[in-house]
Amino acid sequence: MSADKTPVNPLVDSPERDARIKAKAQELWEADGKPGCGADAYLENASEIIGMEENPHAGEIPVKDLPEPKFADVQVENAEIQKNLGEFPERQTDQGDREHFPEKENESS
């Protein structure tokens, strides 16, 4: 988080954030023993780490609809999946009674 405690938008470029990401990438690269790929290969990981440091509670979504403990192990199918349980076209189904590959033309004609 920034000094004024407002969350930092990771989608907005800022020189300070870019410098922190590059420093973290350098730190990760050195911690791995300085492989030949260079510190630039660690930029994506460093960006994710900096984002987590800036917004530590971003992934915390309160869970409101937990089932009662007696129903915790009960599996309930979602009714939406029933829409897609139709017959899928194969050789002799929805697409008619024809085979789904080209037929050899009659050579005697």
Side-chain angles (χ1 to χ4, degrees), residues 35 37 45 49 78 80 98 100:
C37 61
N45 289 344
I49 291 170
N78 186 347
E80 286 290 315
R98 64 175 179 80
H100 292 271

Side-chain angles (χ1 to χ4, degrees), residues 90-92 95 97-105:
E90 291 187 12
R91 288 190 175 217
Q92 303 285 326
Q95 301 301 313
D97 291 337
R98 64 175 179 80
E99 295 185 6
H100 292 271
F101 48 85
E103 296 180 13
K104 184 177 178 183
E105 291 186 21

